[in-house]
Amino acid sequence: MTQILVTLDKNADASLLRRMIENMKGVIATSVQSIKKSDNDDAEEWINNLHTIKRSINPDLIDMNDERTKYIMSK
């Protein structure tokens, strides 16, 4: 048995597409799952938050002569 996973645009008519697929020769069954948010979306949101924080840091306030800062910045 082979399964095909199809991801639909949020504006797509899922019920119409499901009926069309069910009527195709060789299709045994269909099912529909709604996924609110993917892990990839969470990761992108996290990265965007980090970039926002990065832009809000004033580099003039960082003491680049401090040994600990030099160590961290070298990594």
Side-chain angles (χ1 to χ4, degrees):
M1 178 171 60
T2 302
Q3 293 182 332
I4 299 173
L5 173 66
V6 178
T7 304
L8 301 177
D9 181 72
K10 64 181 176 181
N11 298 322
D13 187 351
S15 61
L16 173 64
L17 291 169
R18 182 178 183 182
R19 285 190 310 240
M20 290 171 60
I21 293 169
E22 285 174 337
N23 290 325
M24 290 180 178
K25 183 177 180 182
V27 175
I28 297 170
T30 62
S31 64
V32 176
Q33 294 179 346
S34 295
I35 301 172
K36 301 271 185 204
K37 200 172 198 183
S38 69
D39 291 337
N40 192 30
D41 292 338
D42 289 337
E44 286 181 26
E45 183 178 340
W46 174 250
I47 290 171
N48 289 336
N49 287 339
L50 289 177
H51 285 297
T52 302
I53 293 169
K54 180 182 100 174
R55 286 189 292 272
S56 69
I57 295 173
N58 183 355
D60 296 333
L61 299 175
I62 300 171
D63 181 11
M64 294 304 290
N65 295 324
D66 182 59
E67 291 298 321
R68 294 171 290 184
T69 305
K70 287 180 183 177
Y71 175 77
I72 291 171
M73 297 303 283
S74 70
K75 298 299 173 190

